[in-house]
Amino acid sequence: MHRIAIHGGAGALRQDLMTPEIEKLFTETLLQSLTTGNDVLAAGGSSVEAVEKAVIVMEDSPIFNAGRGSNFTNQGRIEMDASIMDGSDLRTGAVACVSEVKNPISLSRLIMDDGRQVLLAGEGARSFAVKKGLELRDFDYFFTHHRWDAMRRSINKREVELSEDIVPLHVESVSVFDKKYGTVGAVALDQQGNLAAGTSTGGITAKAAGRAGDSSLIGAGTYANNKTCAVSGTGHGEYFIRATVAHEISALVEHAGMSLQDAANKVIQENLAGLGGQGGVIAIDRNGNISISFNTKGMYRGSMGSDSETFVKMYKD
Amino acid sequence: MHRIAIHGGAGALRQDLMTPEIEKLFTETLLQSLTTGNDVLAAGGSSVEAVEKAVIVMEDSPIFNAGRGSNFTNQGRIEMDASIMDGSDLRTGAVACVSEVKNPISLSRLIMDDGRQVLLAGEGARSFAVKKGLELRDFDYFFTHHRWDAMRRSINKREVELSEDIVPLHVESVSVFDKKYGTVGAVALDQQGNLAAGTSTGGITAKAAGRAGDSSLIGAGTYANNKTCAVSGTGHGEYFIRATVAHEISALVEHAGMSLQDAANKVIQENLAGLGGQGGVIAIDRNGNISISFNTKGMYRGSMGSDSETFVKMYKD
């Protein structure tokens, strides 16, 4: 028995922008990510390995707000957050505000396996990646016109409207979601019964330099524990941190005896929404049950595994 | 009714180094911190204000590993972590790896009050402090001989012993603790019934550049929620993150119906110790009950408030 679930961001669905071509592009990339992760699990590989490999597919695609397709800061830079956690022993690794690294999820895993630190930020994270021989990419690799324009528009809009909170939709983007909350992630159960979770993001469009979100914070955007579940979130990171989303879901399962779906619903629809936060989570338990909850109009998501139906969705059920 | 509790680090107590003069210095500084925070509370001020002011006293003293007395990275730099949380509305602010800022706890509070971000790292955090007009200090301010020597010894020891895990004691330091786990923090209950927690640290001696610890992570080193408790931790940050220490204590109180003391004991003596992690926490609930738990030989700690006895301790009871 093995299973994997992934997400590619949640947000305000722009159905007016949706075309069959765009839907196909997202569906195919999500399926490729699922297949890549599922192949690892089917071959007896670890849930950590499956999560990393599935996330890499989304990081390498320019259509998601992670790795190659990351949003720009308000200074026009790329600063990525990511984390990974092994539910079998609670080992974890994370990066915040890292530049140039092609796959922040792989850097997170190397930090976890190295074991001396858990979270590395900025130049220290990049320098660790160089020492470990990870692939770097220059600015051109990460440059996507729709993200750049979104950042410029966001900054211009601010100047006009005197508001720093407005993040416009990228109408020329292939995305049909407001990528303010774009993030990718995966959770998996392997044949050994071990859970893992991983998350990766470019952060919010035109974010402040040095702003780290929930994707780099264990307990907020990512958490995995064999006793309970593995969780990966996507949404407005500041609210995910305040609500300690991922760990609270685990705590409700462990201490309040809730089902994983009830716990995910409570934290996303009540706790997070109660603070005014938008987003969603994917989660999996040791029996391979997948629970998904989001309070946005849509969320790219999917699942694949043994003895279970493969699906990819973006709208509400 | 109001009350405050503080800590100034936990570690391996070196009783052979303890003198009446050293004990007096620590006791006096801890009492000054307590009095400063308690004065805020007695005057009807908020728990957030009391926590910030109490932590500032310890940040401004060279004897604690936070602010002025911060440890050095393995590159000889100062990189500080801090966070603060308001239990009344779950607002929070945090910094990771920030340099030059005299009081990282005040920067955390400014980030919280600004509200756009929760966590700022590195140069972005410093730049935010400059914009807000916070006091900066140059390297000389932060330079303390005993920390510098500890960093140099740690690096030399590594070269000789081929181990990066050994952090020697600073025998010429005024500290009688292994400052590997030095960190300061405060929790408070104000007359309005609101809880708050704050933590500040220079991190582990000779840490890697860019390494962030639990003191910058909500849910790990700091957490406050009026529904349950306010918690501040000190110890080996990587383990605090893996065990999600502060939020797990809150979750045990909220969902498992545990008393605050039982929850603190379980997380520090079982969960954290089970992973091999060392350290301790101070915590307070809405009735003003103080709970303290640590699995090290000693922990600088104290409490003051209305209708309660003032104490300052460093050894086990």
Side-chain angles (χ1 to χ4, degrees):
Chain A
M1 161 69 173
H2 63 267
R3 202 164 174 197
I4 185 168
I6 62 170
H7 68 77
L13 196 65
R14 290 284 308 263
Q15 281 180 289
D16 54 316
L17 298 175
M18 180 51 77
T19 66
E21 289 74 24
I22 292 174
E23 192 158 337
K24 184 161 175 277
L25 181 58
F26 275 94
T27 302
E28 283 178 356
T29 312
L30 290 168
L31 277 173
Q32 191 197 335
S33 168
L34 283 172
T35 305
T36 303
N38 191 61
D39 285 351
V40 170
L41 298 172
S46 73
S47 51
V48 167
E49 178 82 6
V51 162
E52 181 193 358
K53 291 294 187 291
V55 169
I56 285 175
V57 170
M58 293 185 280
E59 285 180 338
D60 287 350
S61 161
I63 65 175
F64 298 104
N65 173 25
R68 184 165 195 179
S70 288
N71 275 324
F72 294 95
T73 69
N74 61 9
Q75 300 178 344
R77 298 191 70 230
I78 295 286
E79 294 188 354
M80 299 170 284
D81 299 339
S83 56
I84 197 164
M85 188 163 188
D86 184 335
S88 71
D89 52 14
L90 306 184
R91 286 183 314 126
T92 176
V95 294
C97 309
V98 69
S99 297
E100 295 187 26
V101 173
K102 177 170 167 280
N103 295 110
I105 193 73
S106 299
L107 176 53
S108 299
R109 188 179 177 191
L110 283 173
I111 290 168
M112 174 173 82
D113 289 343
D114 176 83
R116 286 172 296 175
Q117 293 91 31
V118 159
L119 173 57
L120 289 176
E123 173 54 26
R126 199 193 69 90
S127 157
F128 186 94
V130 170
K131 273 186 215 155
K132 293 287 185 178
L134 270 190
E135 285 183 85
L136 300 188
R137 289 290 183 272
D138 62 17
F139 187 76
D140 287 349
Y141 172 82
F142 295 99
F143 186 86
T144 49
H145 272 286
H146 61 281
R147 303 261 190 245
W148 185 263
D149 293 342
M151 179 273 289
R152 294 299 309 165
R153 264 201 314 282
S154 177
I155 290 173
N156 291 337
K157 246 192 168 165
R158 285 179 196 182
E159 286 163 6
V160 175
E161 304 183 14
L162 295 173
S163 161
E164 300 200 41
D165 296 324
I166 294 161
V167 180
L169 299 165
H170 334 161
V171 284
E172 68 280 63
S173 161
V174 291
S175 172
V176 294
F177 285 147
D178 173 355
K179 288 309 255 186
K180 192 168 160 184
Y181 309 138
T183 288
V184 307
V187 294
L189 168 70
D190 63 30
Q191 295 185 38
Q192 292 72 47
N194 292 322
L195 297 173
T199 311
S200 181
T201 189
I204 290 181
T205 299
K207 65 185 178 182
R211 177 263 188 188
D214 64 307
S215 301
S216 55
L217 265 62
I218 295 307
T222 304
Y223 189 72
N225 188 333
N226 276 3
K227 281 202 288 188
T228 53
C229 56
V231 182
S232 172
T234 169
H236 195 151
E238 278 70 13
Y239 294 92
F240 273 65
I241 297 171
R242 292 172 58 197
T244 330
V245 165
H247 185 258
E248 178 66 6
I249 291 172
S250 169
L252 286 169
V253 170
E254 184 174 4
H255 305 309
M258 266 192 200
S259 74
L260 183 56
Q261 187 64 57
D262 286 349
N265 286 343
K266 179 180 185 306
V267 173
I268 296 300
Q269 313 298 339
E270 295 176 26
N271 301 10
L272 186 70
L275 292 173
Q278 293 189 294
V281 290
I282 54 171
I284 189 168
D285 68 18
R286 284 200 79 171
N287 298 317
N289 297 310
I290 304 281
S291 295
I292 297 176
S293 190
F294 55 98
N295 62 25
T296 49
K297 284 194 181 166
M299 180 175 176
Y300 295 114
R301 61 201 189 277
S303 175
M304 188 180 281
S306 61
D307 312 318
S308 63
E309 214 173 317
T310 298
F311 73 83
V312 167
K313 293 177 183 175
M314 52 194 305
Y315 308 97
K316 285 197 174 170
D317 282 327
Chain B
M1 161 67 174
H2 63 266
R3 202 165 175 196
I4 185 167
I6 61 170
H7 68 78
L13 195 64
R14 290 285 307 266
Q15 283 181 288
D16 54 318
L17 299 176
M18 180 53 77
T19 67
E21 288 74 23
I22 292 175
E23 191 157 339
K24 185 160 172 279
L25 180 60
F26 274 94
T27 301
E28 283 177 356
T29 313
L30 291 168
L31 277 173
Q32 191 197 337
S33 168
L34 284 172
T35 305
T36 303
N38 190 61
D39 285 351
V40 171
L41 299 172
S46 73
S47 52
V48 166
E49 178 81 7
V51 161
E52 180 193 358
K53 291 295 185 290
V55 169
I56 285 175
V57 170
M58 293 185 281
E59 284 180 338
D60 287 349
S61 161
I63 63 175
F64 298 104
N65 173 25
R68 183 164 195 179
S70 288
N71 275 324
F72 294 96
T73 69
N74 62 11
Q75 300 179 346
R77 299 193 68 229
I78 296 285
E79 293 187 354
M80 299 169 284
D81 300 339
S83 55
I84 197 165
M85 188 163 189
D86 184 335
S88 71
D89 52 13
L90 306 184
R91 287 182 313 125
T92 176
V95 294
C97 309
V98 69
S99 297
E100 295 188 25
V101 174
K102 177 171 166 282
N103 295 111
I105 193 72
S106 299
L107 176 54
S108 300
R109 188 179 176 191
L110 283 172
I111 292 169
M112 175 173 82
D113 289 343
D114 176 83
R116 287 174 294 175
Q117 293 92 30
V118 160
L119 173 58
L120 289 176
E123 174 53 27
R126 199 194 69 91
S127 156
F128 186 93
V130 170
K131 274 185 215 158
K132 294 286 184 179
L134 270 189
E135 287 184 83
L136 300 188
R137 288 292 183 270
D138 62 15
F139 188 76
D140 286 350
Y141 172 83
F142 296 99
F143 185 85
T144 48
H145 272 288
H146 60 281
R147 303 263 190 246
W148 184 263
D149 292 343
M151 180 273 290
R152 293 298 310 162
R153 267 202 313 283
S154 178
I155 289 172
N156 291 337
K157 242 190 170 166
R158 284 181 195 177
E159 287 164 8
V160 175
E161 303 186 13
L162 294 173
S163 161
E164 301 199 39
D165 297 323
I166 293 163
V167 180
L169 299 166
H170 334 162
V171 284
E172 69 280 64
S173 161
V174 291
S175 173
V176 294
F177 284 149
D178 174 354
K179 288 309 257 185
K180 189 169 161 184
Y181 310 140
T183 287
V184 307
V187 295
L189 167 70
D190 63 29
Q191 294 185 38
Q192 293 73 46
N194 293 321
L195 298 173
T199 312
S200 181
T201 189
I204 290 181
T205 299
K207 66 185 178 182
R211 178 263 188 189
D214 63 309
S215 301
S216 56
L217 265 60
I218 295 306
T222 304
Y223 188 71
N225 189 334
N226 275 4
K227 282 202 289 187
T228 52
C229 56
V231 182
S232 172
T234 170
H236 195 151
E238 279 69 14
Y239 293 93
F240 273 64
I241 297 171
R242 291 172 60 195
T244 331
V245 165
H247 185 259
E248 178 67 5
I249 291 171
S250 170
L252 286 169
V253 169
E254 185 175 3
H255 306 310
M258 266 192 199
S259 73
L260 183 56
Q261 187 64 57
D262 285 350
N265 285 342
K266 180 182 184 306
V267 172
I268 296 300
Q269 312 299 339
E270 295 176 27
N271 301 10
L272 185 71
L275 292 173
Q278 293 188 296
V281 290
I282 55 171
I284 188 169
D285 68 18
R286 283 201 79 174
N287 299 317
N289 297 311
I290 304 279
S291 295
I292 297 176
S293 189
F294 55 98
N295 63 25
T296 49
K297 285 194 182 165
M299 179 176 176
Y300 296 114
R301 62 202 189 277
S303 176
M304 187 179 282
S306 61
D307 313 318
S308 63
E309 214 173 319
T310 298
F311 72 84
V312 167
K313 294 178 183 174
M314 52 194 305
Y315 308 98
K316 286 198 175 170
D317 283 325

